[in-house]
Amino acid sequence: MILPEPFPPDHNPLVRKLESILALTDEERQALLALPMQVAVIRKDQDIVREGDRPSRSFVILSGFTCTYKASGEGRRQIVAFGIPGDMPDIQSLHLKVLDISVATLSPCSVGFITHEALWDLCMRCPRIAAAFWRETLVEGAVFREWLLNVGRREAYARMAHVLCELLVRLRAVGLVEDHACTLPITQVEFADALGASTVHVNRVVQELRADGLIELKGERLSVLDWEKLKQAGDFDPTYLHLVQERAAA
């Protein structure tokens, strides 16, 4: 099913994402809204793309959460990024013909597949959007470096606090946070795969964050009770996300 505009203009996830880093002109907004995309609804815990694929299209997350991951030869998964609405986790396939990562759903997701041909045409017509896509790949590199530091040099308590801070700031930038609270459909098993810790250790850390009055986590609803202390606990500085300043300051 081809839907050039699956959302009202003010709620289009891709537009909201790019507007968190760039002041779009009316012409650029219309070009994004006119992109032909094939919309698919994908169940939880399904691969969208796999390492080794040679895709002829990329996808934008319209709703739901994803993870980008690598797997060891023994099949053990290391999550290297979480994807939220507006993200294009495989945009690098425009230039790198063989994927070296896999992307899976963490919740039921709606995704919009856009052919590389359509993306190349957009980039040729709208060079500032092309620059924004390139900028996003650079920001992904910055996030990977921060995650390497997080897993390699921070204690589990700080690791968890840092990732929660990052998710809150990124979700706020695309309008998905209200009063320091957001939907967060990520299990403790999935956090363990991202933090390089056991599920038991992640559970213990979550209980400590609760006991310290920093967060409240009920089901899929995260509420940050003390933002400043959570940032301090996670050694968190949002500079590496390179968002528009006023939106980065949650």
Side-chain angles (χ1 to χ4, degrees):
M1 177 171 52
I2 303 296
L3 297 174
E5 188 177 326
F7 290 86
D10 291 341
H11 299 283
N12 183 284
L14 181 56
V15 171
R16 286 194 307 187
K17 173 62 182 290
L18 292 182
E19 286 188 330
S20 74
I21 62 171
L22 176 70
L24 296 172
T25 67
D26 290 341
E27 291 77 11
E28 289 165 340
R29 282 172 58 87
Q30 287 306 311
L32 288 166
L33 293 171
L35 271 176
M37 64 173 63
Q38 184 176 19
V39 177
V41 177
I42 303 176
R43 299 191 312 274
K44 178 180 178 179
D45 296 328
Q46 302 295 309
D47 282 338
I48 304 172
V49 293
R50 296 184 179 91
E51 185 173 359
D53 285 352
R54 295 175 176 268
S56 60
R57 59 185 185 172
S58 295
F59 70 91
V60 57
I61 304 168
L62 302 176
S63 66
F65 281 61
T66 69
C67 69
T68 300
Y69 72 92
K70 298 279 289 185
S72 71
E74 299 173 342
R76 300 180 65 184
R77 182 172 73 168
Q78 177 66 49
I79 292 175
V80 298
F82 290 122
I84 65 173
D87 287 349
M88 297 185 72
D90 67 340
I91 188 65
Q92 68 268 30
S93 64
L94 265 177
H95 297 280
L96 304 177
K97 299 308 178 184
V98 181
L99 284 179
D100 58 77
I101 46 90
S102 300
V103 182
T105 58
L106 297 178
S107 68
C109 288
S110 175
V111 302
F113 291 99
I114 308 168
T115 66
H116 287 168
E117 182 181 5
L119 285 170
W120 276 116
D121 178 68
L122 174 69
C123 291
M124 293 297 291
R125 290 184 291 111
C126 302
R128 290 200 331 137
I129 291 178
F133 286 154
W134 170 234
R135 183 183 186 279
E136 277 302 290
T137 65
L138 296 176
V139 172
E140 284 182 7
V143 173
F144 289 153
R145 291 188 289 274
E146 188 69 27
W147 275 46
L148 180 62
L149 172 65
N150 202 42
V151 172
R153 291 301 180 203
R154 294 188 180 113
E155 298 298 323
Y157 184 91
R159 278 182 246 165
M160 187 69 180
H162 190 280
V163 169
L164 292 177
C165 286
E166 178 186 300
L167 286 167
L168 193 79
V169 168
R170 291 174 58 208
L171 289 166
R172 180 182 294 278
V174 293
L176 296 177
V177 170
E178 183 177 354
D179 297 328
H180 284 87
C182 61
T183 298
L184 201 65
I186 303 175
T187 68
Q188 291 187 6
V189 171
E190 291 155 353
F191 274 121
D193 286 347
L195 300 178
S198 69
T199 306
V200 171
H201 203 170
V202 167
N203 180 266
R204 185 181 304 124
V205 165
V206 169
Q207 297 306 322
E208 290 176 2
L209 289 167
R210 283 172 168 157
D212 291 342
L214 304 187
I215 66 168
E216 183 176 75
L217 192 58
K218 292 183 176 180
E220 295 184 350
R221 191 69 177 172
L222 169 71
S223 298
V224 175
L225 306 180
D226 194 323
W227 173 241
E228 293 303 322
K229 286 187 178 179
L230 187 66
K231 286 196 296 183
Q232 183 178 8
D235 186 27
F236 180 76
D237 178 344
T239 301
Y240 71 97
L241 296 173
H242 300 282
L243 296 168
V244 175
Q245 185 58 40
E246 59 266 29
R247 296 195 182 191

